[in-house]
Amino acid sequence: MAQLSTLGIMSSRKSNSPDTPALFAALGQARDLCQRLGLPNEAKTFEGFITRFQKESPTYEVLQDEVGDAINGIPALRILTKLGDDHSEFHRLQDAFGRVLFPEAYEQHERARPPLEERIDDHCDKVMASTAKAEASKWLQQRSHGFFKTDRGDVVGFVEEFYGAGATEALIGDTEEDQSAQLGQGLLVVLPKEASVRAKLFEIGSRAEEVFQCDHVSDKGQKYLYYSLD
């Protein structure tokens, strides 16, 4: 299991106050995930952190020792067991905690990575080359096709908006079978080259980022927009 410490050894910003909104957001995500997975004791652990930190300002030492142990210890193992083969949701949760617990190490880690737009294009190229994709409008017509937790109506609405604004193509990517259903894990939008059309698509995309809780991207000449839906 990936450890938060892989982002770096320790942050030199221990004397500074942690990013409180980001801390509560990560703890809330962990609590909600545990509740959804039927892990009441683990959910109570993260809820306890929220209640406690609302009354007192934690230090980085406390966060790294106590919260770090929770997200890398027994609760993490139980979450991973419940998630089965797909650990992507847990990895995103770890990433959120890494931003809070080891801010400088996380920033250094991020600076060493390619820009998000490049990483999205790379992932979408792989999706386009795979068989685990389908044209979005047709795929959404099947009632047995859906998403793990994303609202189907939101996806339908944005697909219609993207096409209406001039998207070259919209695809549901990273599809997988789940018993009698098929689940989609991403919405991929193929971008045209025309600047005026791209501007409209990025405006729609900024709203999609908020609804699907994805990181913001700007127009840097990339080929795709991509929204994680799992």
Side-chain angles (χ1 to χ4, degrees), residues 28-163:
Q29 290 172 29
R31 175 201 59 203
D32 295 345
L33 175 60
C34 291
Q35 289 175 341
R36 179 159 52 81
L37 294 175
L39 297 170
N41 292 335
E42 288 69 25
K44 188 178 296 184
T45 295
F46 292 109
E47 179 62 33
F49 285 132
I50 293 173
T51 301
R52 175 180 161 195
F53 296 152
Q54 285 173 336
K55 298 177 181 178
E56 60 185 58
S57 298
T59 64
Y60 278 110
E61 290 94 336
V62 168
L63 294 179
Q64 290 162 355
D65 290 344
E66 298 185 27
V67 179
D69 284 347
I71 197 59
N72 281 314
I74 298 301
L77 292 174
R78 289 175 177 160
I79 290 171
L80 289 168
T81 299
K82 287 281 189 176
L83 286 173
D85 294 333
D86 184 4
H87 297 167
S88 58
E89 190 170 6
F90 178 77
H91 293 156
R92 288 195 296 273
L93 183 61
Q94 274 199 318
D95 191 63
F97 276 111
R99 295 172 188 260
V100 178
L101 272 63
F102 302 96
E104 285 195 349
Y106 186 87
E107 290 168 7
Q108 293 172 3
H109 174 74
E110 285 296 291
R111 284 196 294 271
R113 302 175 74 189
L116 177 58
E117 291 81 4
E118 289 185 18
R119 286 181 273 135
I120 288 175
D121 268 9
D122 181 64
H123 176 71
C124 290
D125 279 340
K126 294 175 182 176
V127 173
M128 294 295 285
S130 78
T131 58
K133 68 181 187 301
E135 194 282 320
S137 296
K138 293 181 181 179
W139 190 87
L140 287 163
Q141 291 175 2
Q142 300 295 321
R143 301 308 302 176
S144 61
H145 295 171
F147 310 97
F148 183 58
K149 62 178 181 179
T150 301
D151 184 271
R152 182 188 183 89
D154 288 336
V155 181
V156 171
F158 278 113
V159 168
E160 291 176 352
E161 282 199 68
F162 281 126
Y163 272 132

